[in-house]
Structure formats: structure tokens, C-alpha cells
């Protein structure tokens, strides 16, 4: 709005300067009178146009702003899937992958690097299946989409390629969208004012920590301890525990 007002002021100054030059160079009283008339008319039209521009700008900003203080706060955890691939039934880059059955197998490339997938928006599918399929909870708004894309791209830089599991919180919106899920038209609410709590991929490196049986240094190991340790660990673990 400030930028629009500044532009209007600059425009008025330019018009005044031009008008002054015209009056200075007019050759007769009639010509100067005519110049004043047309200048006044053009100035009024410019003010009307400028005022309309300012009002429309304020209205658009108001309509695009989100109310993050009212409504139910929802926290959702699950697998991210783009609406385009859900609507078509299978992943764009893998026609064998049913999106509602295996969203954890969806490639990050398809999810966050393909325009038609990104532009369709994202939904969150449940971690646990209900029957054969995973339940779909909410569709993320534009802010949530941008956060999810950024999260996916950051994981790709780390060498991750498959499945994006996220935990998000937001406000349940009354705005809805409709698309096909398993071939049937369904309507879902948007989640607005989205905040990303955590994210990880399906191919994150697993922990390789192995538990080793321990005994206090002052304790004497017995045959029973050796047998128990053989069950809990390996023979080499027992050897280390007994003899260092």
C-alpha cells in the first residue's frame, strides 16, 4: 500500500510539472483555458484511478491474510503425498506404486521437484493403514506446501531419495478441495497457518548400536553368567567381557 501511495504522489508531481510547462508555452487565453480544462479532467481521472488501485490492493491483502487465532488447532503426522499423484491413483514416476497403499515409497524427486505435483498441493496420509489403505487427513495450504517442498529438498541434499514423513500443526480451515481418492471423488479440508514440527525420509540411515552385556569390574563372572551372555550376545562379546 505504501508503495502504491508513493507512486501516486510521484505521478501527481510529474503531471503538475507538465501542466506548468504547457501553461507557460500556450499562445493565447483560449488555448490556456482549454489546457486548464483538460488538465483538470485528466487530474480527476488520475485520482479516481489511483484511489481505486489503493482500495483494491488493501482488499486483496485482506483476503490473502490468514486468521491464525481462530479455529481448531490440529496436529497431524503421516506421509506426504501430492494431490496430483493421489488423484491419478499411482505415482507419476512409478505406475506400480499405489499412493494410498504405499506413500512411503514415493520418490522425493516426484514429490518436490516436479511442477505438476508441487502445484497440485500436498496431503498427509496416515502412518497406519485402515484396511488396505492409509487414511487421508488434511490438504496443506500454500504455506504448508512451501514448507514441505523445502523440507524435501533439504533431505535430497543429504542423499535421501524415498518417502517423506512429516509432523505438522495448523488451523482447520472451512475451505475445502475435491479430488479422487482410490477412484472416488472426495472432499477434504485445508490445513492453514501450517508449521512444520519434524520431518524424515523412509531411507534415513538406521542406528547400528549393539547392546553388549556388562558387569561391574569387581564382579567375578561365573559359568551361569557365560551361558546367559551367550544367549544375549555373541561368543566374542563374552570373551571381551571375561578377558578384556
Amino acid at each position: 500500500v505504501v508503495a502504491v501511495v508513493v507512486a501516486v504522489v510521484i505521478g501527481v508531481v510529474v503531471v503538475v510539472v507538465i501542466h506548468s510547462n504547457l501553461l507557460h508555452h500556450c499562445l493565447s487565453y483560449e488555448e490556456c483555458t482549454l489546457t486548464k480544462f483538460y488538465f483538470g479532467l485528466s487530474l480527476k481521472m488520475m485520482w479516481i484511478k489511483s484511489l481505486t488501485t489503493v482500495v483494491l490492493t488493501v482488499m486483496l491483502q485482506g483476503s490473502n491474510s490468514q486468521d491464525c487465532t481462530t479455529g481448531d488447532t490440529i496436529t497431524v503426522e503421516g506421509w506426504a503425498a501430492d494431490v496430483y499423484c493421489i488423484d491419478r491413483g499411482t505415482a507419476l514416476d512409478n505406475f506400480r506404486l499405489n499412493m494410498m497403499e504405499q506413500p512411503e515409497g514415493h520418490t522425493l524427486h516426484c514429490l518436490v521437484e516436479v511442477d505438476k505435483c508441487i502445484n497440485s498441493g500436498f496431503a498427509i496420509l496416515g502412518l497406519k493403514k485402515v484396511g488396505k489403505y492409509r487414511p487421508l487427513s488434511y490438504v496443506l495450504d500454500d504455506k504448508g506446501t512451501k514448507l514441505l517442498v523445502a523440507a524435501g529438498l533439504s533431505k535430497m541434499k543429504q542423499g535421501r531419495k524415498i518417502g517423506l514423513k512429516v509432523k505438522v500443526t495448523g488451523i482447520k480451515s472451512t475451505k475445502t478441495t475435491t479430488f479422487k481418492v482410490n477412484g472416488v471423488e472426495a472432499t477434504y479440508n485445508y490445513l492453514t497457518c501450517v508449521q512444520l514440527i519434524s520431518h524424515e525420509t523412509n531411507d534415513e540411515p538406521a542406528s547400528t548400536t549393539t547392546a553388549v552385556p556388562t558387569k561391574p569390574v569387581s564382579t567375578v563372572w561365573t559359568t551361569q553368567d557365560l551361558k546367559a551372555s551367550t544367549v544375549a550376545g555373541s561368543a566374542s562379546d563374552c570373551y571381551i567381557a571375561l578377558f578384556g
Side-chain angles (χ1 to χ4, degrees):
V1 177
V2 175
V4 173
V5 173
V6 171
V8 170
V9 172
I10 293 175
V12 171
V13 172
V14 171
V15 172
V16 170
V17 171
I18 294 174
H19 175 255
S20 300
N21 289 332
L22 288 174
L23 290 180
H24 181 71
H25 292 93
C26 60
L27 301 177
S28 65
Y29 174 78
E30 290 78 7
E31 184 179 347
C32 289
T33 302
L34 191 62
T35 301
K36 288 181 180 179
F37 170 75
Y38 282 115
F39 172 77
L41 182 62
S42 62
L43 187 61
K44 289 178 181 178
M45 294 299 295
M46 185 186 69
W47 274 111
I48 293 173
K49 184 177 180 180
S50 301
L51 182 61
T52 303
T53 302
V54 172
V55 171
L56 288 176
T57 302
V58 172
M59 290 176 64
L60 286 173
Q61 287 185 346
S63 63
N64 291 331
S65 62
Q66 294 180 334
D67 182 7
C68 298
T69 59
T70 59
D72 297 330
T73 301
I74 307 293
T75 300
V76 182
E77 185 175 11
W79 296 100
D82 61 273
V83 172
Y84 177 80
C85 287
I86 292 175
D87 187 72
R88 73 191 300 271
T90 59
L92 180 62
D93 60 350
N94 184 358
F95 69 92
R96 293 185 178 88
L97 183 72
N98 185 298
M99 290 302 301
M100 301 305 293
E101 290 184 32
Q102 296 177 297
E104 67 273 21
H106 198 189
T107 64
L108 296 185
H109 163 68
C110 182
L111 191 68
V112 301
E113 286 191 322
V114 178
D115 287 341
K116 62 174 61 178
C117 296
I118 297 172
N119 295 335
S120 70
F122 294 97
I124 307 299
L125 306 184
L127 293 177
K128 295 182 179 180
K129 291 183 178 181
V130 176
K132 186 179 180 181
Y133 304 108
R134 297 181 185 273
L136 192 156
S137 52
Y138 294 93
V139 177
L140 304 185
D141 65 352
D142 290 340
K143 178 184 177 182
T145 294
K146 292 177 182 178
L147 290 174
L148 194 146
V149 170
L153 291 175
S154 69
K155 285 297 183 181
M156 291 185 72
K157 290 181 180 180
Q158 299 172 18
R160 310 291 173 254
K161 298 179 180 180
I162 301 174
L164 184 61
K165 183 170 69 174
V166 298
K167 185 176 183 180
V168 299
T169 184
I171 304 295
K172 180 181 178 180
S173 174
T174 55
K175 181 182 177 182
T176 60
T177 183
T178 302
F179 51 90
K180 290 182 180 179
V181 176
N182 297 322
V184 180
E185 290 282 344
T187 300
Y188 296 93
N189 290 83
Y190 277 98
L191 199 64
T192 63
C193 305
V194 175
Q195 296 182 29
L196 183 63
I197 299 174
S198 63
H199 64 284
E200 61 182 274
T201 60
N202 197 28
D203 56 353
E204 296 281 351
S207 175
T208 56
T209 304
T210 303
V212 178
T214 59
K215 289 285 275 184
V217 176
S218 59
T219 303
V220 177
W221 285 74
T222 65
T223 304
Q224 285 74 17
D225 294 327
L226 181 60
K227 290 180 179 179
S229 298
T230 304
V231 174
S234 64
S236 59
D237 293 334
C238 298
Y239 180 86
I240 294 172
L242 284 172
F243 307 106

